[in-house]
Amino acid sequence: MMFSVIIPAHDSKAYIGRLLHSIKMQTFTNYEVMVVCDDCHDTTAKVAIRYADKVICTKYGSDGLARDEGLSVAEGDWILFADDDDWFVHEFCFQQIADAIKGDWTDKYKDIDILAFGYLCKGQGYIAPSEKTIFNPGDAHVWSNAWKRSAIAGAKFGDAIFCSDTYFVRDVKFRTRRYALLNMPIYYYYFNRPGSQTDRMIRGEIRVSPIAR
């Protein structure tokens, strides 16, 4: 299996279907989808089970531990992450990632551990991939990269309530820097969705440490 798609989800019945549908529509089908329903009190799991290969229900209250849970059971050679309120922008996204990783376009993609790709950000337009978007904790998003599972083995998101990307990319930096850039829009980041953790942080509702207590 080429890809494992890991999706941490929390009370996302209203929007996770859009993400899962964008995955179902992919022309490249050699993947598995894992939804980690973390501390859900709605019907997220019922929506997810219609699409996902694995639905895991947890009570962590931490997107970091939810992502680590997905990593612990992933079987794909490469890992893709997605947040429950985002989506993949068209039906050829997985095929484009796979072609690049396999070196079908150019040799520059051979023998890499990370493939960074472009994404669309609500309110900001297109964000091109760069070393900064992979390794800089303040700019990195794990969903804007494909990660070779064997190369990131042991890397953890940890006990983070939110912004767990920061801890993961810091860990990965000490394991590998073999990467390539795919300058194509692959992912849509629904930045600052009303009610999201980002929205709550901006409005000052979340004031605790990003580490779960």
Side-chain angles (χ1 to χ4, degrees), residues 66-213:
R67 284 168 165 163
D68 285 338
E69 182 79 21
L71 278 173
S72 71
V73 297
E75 299 180 12
D77 295 329
W78 288 78
I79 303 296
L80 295 172
F81 293 101
D83 284 352
D84 54 12
D85 54 353
D86 299 336
W87 60 91
F88 292 94
V89 298
H90 53 73
E91 66 268 33
F92 306 113
C93 293
F94 288 10
Q95 187 66 62
Q96 290 176 329
I97 296 171
D99 288 346
I101 289 171
K102 291 184 293 185
D104 288 357
W105 295 337
T106 173
D107 287 345
K108 75 176 183 179
Y109 296 110
K110 287 185 177 179
D111 300 321
I112 60 170
D113 297 324
I114 305 168
L115 179 71
F117 44 78
Y119 63 92
L120 300 171
C121 179
K122 187 185 71 153
Q124 299 181 33
Y126 179 64
I127 308 297
S130 66
E131 182 175 0
K132 183 178 179 181
T133 65
I134 305 172
F135 297 116
N136 185 344
D139 298 282
H141 298 288
V142 293
W143 39 251
S144 64
N145 307 280
W147 310 85
K148 192 173 185 179
R149 184 161 63 95
S150 61
I152 63 170
K156 299 290 185 181
F157 289 91
D159 193 11
I161 298 174
F162 54 87
C163 299
S164 61
D165 310 58
T166 299
Y167 305 95
F168 182 77
V169 299
R170 285 176 178 169
D171 204 347
V172 168
K173 283 175 71 171
F174 295 104
R175 299 171 187 273
T176 181
R177 295 188 71 89
R178 291 150 45 105
Y179 70 90
L181 307 177
L182 178 63
N183 194 10
M184 292 183 177
I186 297 293
Y187 191 88
Y188 187 90
Y189 175 28
Y190 189 12
F191 174 70
N192 201 24
R193 172 183 58 80
S196 67
Q197 289 177 331
T198 301
D199 174 57
R200 292 172 63 202
M201 282 190 290
I202 290 174
R203 290 190 285 113
E205 292 183 8
I206 298 177
R207 300 181 183 276
V208 299
S209 164
I211 303 300
R213 296 171 184 246

